[in-house]
Amino acid sequence: MDKIILATESIDEFIDALIEMRGLIPLDKHLLHLLFEIKNDIPLQTQKFLTLSLSLLDDGNTRVPLDASQFADMWNHKWNGLVTLRISTAEEDIDENSFASAYDFASIITEGTQDILANDFSAIAETRDTDTESTEDDLGKPFVLAKRPNGSHLYFTKHFDAKCVIEKSAKILFKNGCTPIDEQIAQCTQNIAGICKPLANGKPFLIKKRQAEAIIRGQTENLVITGGPGTGKTTVVLYILWNLLASHSEMLDWNIYLAAPSGKAADRMRESLIDGLARIRNEQKSDNERIFRKLNELESSTIHRLLRFSKSKGGFMFNHEEQFSKNSIFVIDEASMIDIEMFAALLEAIPEGARIFILGDPFQLPSVDSGAVLGEILKVQSDKNFSVKLNESNRFDDRSNIGKLAAEIKEVAETKDNTKFVPHKFTSSDTSNDIANEITTTFKDKVFYRKLETDNTPLSKKEEDKRIETFIAEWSRDFAKLPELAENIHPERTGTETDDPEHRETARRNAIWQLSLTKRILCAERRGLRGIENINKKVCSKIKNLWRIQNKKQGKNIQRDDSGYFPGQLLIITKNQEMFKLYNGDTGIVVFDGNTPCLMLKKTPPQGSKRTRDDFVFYPLSVLPEDSITTAFAITIHKSQGSEYKHVTMFLPTKIGHPLLTNQIIYTGITRAKESVTIIANDEIFKTAVTTVSKRDTGISL
């Protein structure tokens, strides 16, 4: 979009130009036209302002300020990001000066805000002086104009209503709590040690102080439990549930619901709880057989499935009118990923008197859709205390480079202090052997920094692509065995004791599965040279080439080269396939049954079922829609949330101001790694990312 289009007298040209810049989605054009039909006397500048407002709302904000200066700050950040994104994903070099500047939008913003505040827009916006939900008559109006002494905001009606529901429900469900005294902490720690088997070294299983605090408070309070990876959030919930059932026998007849925003996250929570139950002493299992059986047989689901969406009703079966039973306990994981509408739908379906425990890490990426609810509800304006922050990680301790870096990144987000962070080299890809050996013996994990540039001179697109290809060739060697291992997998074998008495087939399946989890490339972008599309293409090409060379040496012919897939190719599910219980984010490996390509995944059998096979399942790829699967040697950092890999390589955008160059992106990416993380960026880019904390204006006030 240049200055000529910016000044156009055609609103369609303006909208189309913004869509081309990826600042709007095509559906927004239809919504805007509907608004302009409902109120057909909107001035052109205000039409353009409403177009900019929709663009900001598409970013996950639930409201935009009607103060010209505040709006301009938001738009300047957005527009500069769009320009940077356009330049970075273009196949050829583009001159930044060919685009309009953010300041060229000033007159649109000034005239638009003044018009909406001064004139009658009641045809499309209901004015609200208080935080109350819509009446039946107001539901047809797409916007709410919230006028307050500290400023006015324009909301989508659905987001304003969701905000009101969350505020009202949270006040009912979460009460003011208090921190236990040291004697209670010590007693709780001792009790849990008595329930659990000793560690492998013979020492007792000891929980951390904050974990004990949460377990104690959870007996009488509903809680929001936060913490980074490895801080033991699900461990805490397991012992809260165990103690509740042990102390209140009537709760053995209550319903316990495990839910998360995605099927993958829900499955992972359940698996984590089952792993925790394995730590319980055998005599405790025998003495508390009903408790153990109830917890061991818990099922998990998505929040969407928990609330039971009804197509005929056009809404959820459980809602503010038809709530769950009061005799219910809810455990909700990965709360940072829950958008504002789903959060509202969940809370209003839970009655007063029910128990609820919300788990999450507010420093990870927020939901794909609107809102950043977990972070907002933790910013309590009242004196209420209903959260416990777990701050000690079992994965990242004092000897962890990754943990130290994650803590520094998180501190920037917490304190909003950008001045203290200085990129430093824990370990460098060009470190001398002596130093490298010293670091390896001192620290249990490693952080590598690597830049593709050899000096401070920016690379041309062609040069950058060539250097990425060289890096990918080196990275792909560890996965060169995937095709060979995949060719030895036999999907037709069931993995049962009868079919595989010596467990050789299961051993082969486990071998390739473990190899597939050793490493992953994480990208902020989907498109562009450093995006997953380009990198996956290069990885597939390299692995297939190594496979061909190996087969040629052995005198073998590749029979499946035209199938579209190759043995050992990693694929990820991108859309839920409820029929097969496959969820967005599930990852599998391509194996062949004859000439039929199949997807092999590891899935724990449902609780209560008698295990008659190993944990591997196979689906012919022909039964899965093509748009629901994609290659997964490289995945976006958004898709990686909740996953763990031994080694992570993270490609960052190269342009300062890129909208995906943020603190949350970096934090989420590096905390996926268990043994090493390699960051592909120069110091300036990395520091910019860490010190850029993305904000979403959700407007929730508790």
Side-chain angles (χ1 to χ4, degrees):
M1 181 186 283
D2 56 25
K3 291 183 180 181
I4 296 174
I5 294 294
L6 194 65
T8 180
E9 294 294 315
S10 167
I11 188 61
D12 279 344
E13 282 189 8
F14 185 83
I15 294 171
D16 289 341
L18 205 50
I19 290 174
E20 187 181 350
M21 289 291 296
R22 294 168 62 185
L24 284 176
I25 57 175
L27 185 61
D28 288 333
K29 184 173 182 178
H30 299 288
L31 176 56
L32 287 163
H33 274 294
L34 181 61
L35 292 175
F36 304 154
E37 286 176 17
I38 295 172
K39 182 173 172 55
N40 56 22
D41 59 347
I42 302 177
L44 179 62
Q45 289 291 78
T46 306
Q47 289 182 7
K48 291 180 179 180
F49 173 78
L50 289 171
T51 302
L52 303 187
S53 297
L54 253 64
S55 180
L56 291 175
L57 292 170
D58 283 346
D59 281 353
N61 299 296
T62 64
R63 64 181 188 174
V64 293
L66 292 177
D67 174 89
S69 176
Q70 293 176 17
F71 190 102
D73 287 343
M74 290 179 70
W75 181 252
N76 290 352
H77 180 76
K78 165 91 184 229
W79 178 251
N80 290 334
L82 291 176
V83 171
T84 302
L85 187 63
R86 180 68 177 274
I87 294 171
S88 67
T89 56
E91 294 184 1
E92 307 212 348
D93 296 316
I94 299 178
D95 183 4
E96 188 173 343
N97 294 323
S98 64
F99 298 94
S101 74
Y103 299 103
D104 293 328
F105 292 85
S107 62
I108 294 173
I109 295 170
T110 301
E111 292 178 38
T113 52
Q114 290 175 349
D115 188 28
I116 290 177
L117 288 172
N119 295 307
D120 181 13
F121 280 80
S122 59
I124 60 173
E126 174 71 18
T127 300
R128 304 279 175 82
D129 296 321
T130 59
D131 289 346
T132 53
E133 298 165 59
S134 300
T135 63
E136 201 67 36
D137 294 338
D138 298 331
L139 286 174
K141 297 179 181 179
F143 291 114
V144 164
L145 176 56
K147 292 185 175 182
R148 301 290 184 274
N150 59 349
S152 300
H153 290 83
L154 190 67
Y155 288 81
F156 272 136
T157 300
K158 61 183 181 179
H159 293 155
F160 185 85
D161 287 348
K163 156 191 142 63
C164 294
V165 166
I166 291 170
E167 290 172 346
K168 183 171 69 175
S169 299
K171 288 174 184 176
I172 294 171
L173 293 171
F174 297 101
K175 309 299 181 183
N176 189 32
C178 58
T179 304
I181 59 175
D182 289 343
E183 288 80 357
Q184 292 173 301
I185 298 286
Q187 184 63 52
C188 177
T189 303
Q190 184 178 343
N191 289 344
I192 299 302
I195 291 173
C196 296
K197 299 172 186 176
L199 301 174
N201 59 12
K203 294 182 179 180
F205 176 79
L206 298 178
I207 56 174
K208 305 293 194 296
K209 183 176 181 180
R210 289 284 180 87
Q211 288 180 301
E213 177 187 335
I215 292 167
I216 295 166
R217 292 182 60 181
Q219 303 310 297
T220 56
E221 301 174 39
N222 291 337
L223 291 174
V224 176
I225 302 169
T226 67
T231 52
K233 297 184 287 295
T234 49
T235 297
V236 162
V237 165
L238 171 61
Y239 298 119
I240 288 176
L241 295 176
W242 183 279
N243 289 347
L244 280 174
L245 298 180
S247 303
H248 306 276
S249 57
E250 72 278 6
M251 285 189 176
L252 285 165
D253 296 320
W254 283 31
N255 293 314
I256 300 178
Y257 301 102
L258 308 179
S262 71
K264 179 184 175 183
D267 284 350
R268 192 174 56 251
M269 171 172 51
R270 175 181 151 245
E271 290 165 7
S272 180
L273 287 172
I274 299 305
D275 289 344
L277 283 171
R279 290 193 297 265
I280 303 293
R281 295 175 185 266
N282 291 332
E283 59 268 27
Q284 287 287 334
K285 295 177 185 177
S286 300
D287 294 345
N288 300 280
E289 191 269 339
R290 283 190 67 195
I291 296 175
F292 179 80
R293 189 172 70 248
K294 186 175 182 71
L295 295 179
N296 193 54
E297 293 178 357
L298 289 177
E299 293 289 348
S300 61
S301 74
T302 62
I303 299 171
H304 193 274
R305 205 159 70 240
L306 172 68
L307 297 175
R308 296 185 191 174
F309 184 79
S310 168
K311 289 184 179 179
S312 59
K313 290 187 175 181
F316 292 114
M317 297 288 287
F318 289 105
N319 50 52
H320 68 287
E321 294 178 347
E322 298 291 335
Q323 293 183 312
F324 289 94
S325 165
K326 289 185 178 180
N327 297 338
S328 300
I329 303 173
F330 299 85
V331 181
I332 311 299
D333 199 9
E334 295 290 0
S336 65
M337 297 166 59
I338 308 174
D339 65 80
I340 189 168
E341 291 180 82
M342 186 60 77
F343 225 120
L346 172 68
L347 292 187
E348 71 174 351
I350 299 176
E352 186 172 10
R355 304 304 311 277
I356 179 171
F357 304 101
I358 296 176
L359 319 180
D361 183 353
F363 298 101
Q364 285 194 40
L365 288 163
S367 62
V368 175
D369 293 319
S370 297
V373 182
L374 180 62
E376 290 285 285
I377 64 177
L378 293 172
K379 299 174 185 174
V380 182
Q381 287 82 16
S382 65
D383 293 329
K384 289 175 75 172
N385 172 20
F386 52 76
S387 67
V388 177
K389 177 183 176 183
L390 307 183
N391 56 2
E392 294 182 74
S393 175
N394 294 310
R395 189 193 307 175
F396 303 131
D397 58 22
D398 290 340
R399 293 178 57 246
S400 168
N401 278 318
I402 297 172
K404 288 180 179 179
L405 181 57
E408 292 179 8
I409 294 168
K410 190 166 64 173
E411 185 180 7
V412 173
E414 279 184 301
T415 63
K416 306 295 187 295
D417 186 351
N418 297 340
T419 61
K420 295 180 181 178
F421 181 81
V422 178
H424 50 91
K425 307 244 185 276
F426 292 109
T427 310
S428 175
S429 56
D430 56 0
T431 307
S432 70
N433 288 333
D434 290 341
I435 297 176
N437 289 334
E438 182 182 341
I439 290 172
T440 302
T441 56
T442 305
F443 296 99
K444 68 176 186 178
D445 56 34
K446 289 172 272 189
V447 176
F448 296 97
Y449 298 86
R450 185 163 176 173
K451 59 182 180 179
L452 300 182
E453 307 90 337
T454 52
D455 50 34
N456 293 325
T457 306
L459 298 173
S460 69
K461 296 278 185 180
K462 187 175 180 180
E463 290 171 328
E464 184 178 2
D465 193 44
K466 187 175 181 180
R467 294 192 185 186
I468 289 173
E469 189 149 0
T470 301
F471 178 86
I472 293 303
E474 174 190 328
W475 184 91
S476 301
R477 289 195 189 102
D478 291 336
F479 277 162
K481 281 190 175 183
L482 281 173
E484 179 185 348
L485 293 173
E487 286 184 303
N488 291 321
I489 303 297
H490 301 92
E492 75 279 4
R493 297 182 185 174
T494 61
T496 62
E497 190 72 28
T498 303
D499 192 46
D500 187 25
E502 296 181 6
H503 304 287
R504 291 179 180 174
E505 176 68 20
T506 296
R508 288 192 290 267
R509 294 174 182 182
N510 276 316
I512 191 171
W513 189 259
Q514 290 305 315
L515 176 58
S516 76
L517 295 177
T518 54
K519 59 197 296 186
R520 200 70 87 238
I521 292 175
L522 305 184
C523 305
E525 301 172 287
R526 180 171 297 279
R527 303 174 187 169
L529 297 181
R530 299 189 180 210
I532 61 168
E533 293 175 358
N534 182 52
I535 289 178
N536 274 321
K537 183 178 178 181
K538 290 186 184 323
V539 174
C540 288
S541 176
K542 183 61 181 177
I543 292 176
K544 283 196 290 186
N545 188 48
L546 292 171
W547 179 40
R548 288 190 193 98
I549 293 171
Q550 184 65 24
N551 276 298
K552 191 174 181 180
K553 286 180 180 178
Q554 298 174 359
K556 296 180 182 178
N557 292 320
I558 297 175
Q559 300 295 325
R560 312 182 185 100
D561 209 27
D562 296 329
S563 68
Y565 299 101
F566 65 90
Q569 184 175 357
L570 303 188
L571 299 179
I572 189 170
I573 302 293
T574 56
K575 294 181 181 177
N576 291 342
Q577 302 298 311
E578 295 282 355
M579 180 186 302
F580 305 112
K581 294 193 174 180
L582 298 178
Y583 304 110
N584 188 352
D586 283 345
T587 305
I589 306 168
V590 174
V591 297
F592 279 76
D593 185 1
N595 289 321
T596 303
C598 300
L599 186 64
M600 182 183 94
L601 303 99
K602 193 169 188 178
K603 285 280 189 180
T604 305
Q607 287 304 310
S609 66
K610 293 184 179 179
R611 188 185 296 263
T612 59
R613 57 167 177 78
D614 59 28
D615 293 344
F616 294 97
V617 293
F618 300 84
Y619 298 94
L621 283 166
S622 59
V623 305
L624 301 174
E626 285 188 17
D627 65 349
S628 71
I629 47 179
T630 191
T631 304
F633 293 102
I635 60 176
T636 63
I637 296 172
H638 276 86
K639 283 286 185 195
S640 75
Q641 287 193 90
S643 299
E644 294 178 5
Y645 308 100
K646 284 186 179 180
H647 310 287
V648 163
T649 296
M650 188 163 56
F651 275 89
L652 298 185
T654 60
K655 299 283 187 182
I656 291 177
H658 193 290
L660 296 176
L661 207 57
T662 69
N663 179 284
Q664 291 91 331
I665 285 279
I666 298 292
Y667 175 80
T668 302
I670 69 165
T671 54
R672 301 309 96 205
K674 293 191 287 187
E675 295 183 14
S676 75
V677 58
T678 300
I679 299 163
I680 311 293
N682 61 41
D683 285 355
E684 184 182 15
I685 288 293
F686 184 64
K687 181 175 182 180
T688 298
V690 171
T691 56
T692 303
V693 181
S694 63
K695 300 174 184 177
R696 282 187 177 180
D697 197 353
T698 305
I700 294 172
S701 177
L702 298 182

